[in-house]
Amino acid sequence: MGDIKQPRLNGGYDGPQQPHLNGGYDGPQPPHLNGGYDGPQQPHLNRGYDGPPQPHLNGGYYGPPQPHLNGGYYGPPIPPPPPKPKRRYKTPGCCCFSCIGSCIGSCLRCCGCCILSLIWNILIAVAVILGITALILWLIFRPNAVKFYVADANLNRFSLDSSNNSNLHYDLDLNFTIRNPNQRLGIYYDVVQVSGYYGDQRFGSVEIAPFYQGHKNTTVVVTKMEGQNLVVLGDGARADLKEDDLTGVYRIDVRLVMSVRFKFWIIKSWKVKPKIRCDDLKIPLGSSNSTSGFKFQTMQCNFDFR
C-alpha cells in the first residue's frame, strides 16, 4: 500500500499547518500587514496606513478639502462688526455767551431759546403766585353767594292795544331784596338793569342808580317799569295772555343784568357781570290781592355769572 501525501509541506514540516507564519509562509496572504504587524487593523495609523482616509486630519490629510478654514475655524465666516454711531454731545444749558465765535444763525437760535425759556418760567411763576393768593384770600374771607329775592310785585296794567295787537301797555312794580351774607366782603353795584319778559319777549326795562352794599347787609331795591312797547308774541304766548286775562294773574319773567365789584378791606376787585334770573313770577293785576284771592309770594332768583 502506497504512502499518503502530506498536504502543504513547508520546509520539510510534516505536521499540521502553522497559521500566519510570515517567514517562508506559502499560504494565503494575511490582510493589513503594516510594517510586520499581522494582527487586527489598528485605526488611525497615519504612517503606512492603507485603510480609508481619516476625516479632519490636518497633518498629512489626503481627503477632500475642508470648506471655510479661517485660522483653525470650521464654521461659517463671521461678518465684520457694524460701525459705531457717532455721538453728538450737547452742551448743557443755553446761553448767549456760548454763541461767541459761532455763526449768527446759531447765536440767534440760542438767544431765542433763552428768551422763550425765561418767558415760560415767568408765566409759570405768575400762575402759581396767583393761585396761592386766591387760595389764601378764599381761606381768609370765605365768600358766600349773594342772594336775590323778589319780595313784592304788582301789575297796574298789562294789556295789548285794541287797535294794534302788537303794542303792549304795562305798569309793573317790583321790590327786590338783596342779601350780602359775607362778613368781610362789600359789593359795589355800578350798573343794575331790570328787564321784564313775557313769552320770551322783552317788553320793558329800567336802570337802578349805583349803590354800595356793606358786609352782612340786606338792601331793599324798589323799581317801577311803566310804558308801552311793540312786542311780537307767538300763538302760544297770545293764548297764554288770554288765559292770564281771565285769571287776573300774569306769568312774567324778570332778569337783572349788572356790573359789580367786590371789596376786600381796602382791596377792590375787577368788574364782574353776574346775571340774575327770576323766572315764572305769578303777579296779580290791580293790587296785592287779585279778584280770585291770589297773593304774590316772595321768590328767590337764580344767581349766575356770564
Side-chain angles (χ1 to χ4, degrees), residues 6 40 67 96 120 168 194 202 226 228 246 256 267 276 290:
Q6 299 294 328
C96 293
W120 180 251
L168 179 65
V194 182
R202 188 174 72 169
E226 184 180 7
Q228 59 181 352
L246 295 176
L256 287 79
I267 302 174
I276 315 301
S290 64

Side-chain angles (χ1 to χ4, degrees), residues 19 30 77 105 119 125 151 159 168 170 254 278 281 299:
I119 293 175
S159 61
L168 179 65
Y170 59 91
V254 176
C278 310
L281 298 177
M299 185 174 184

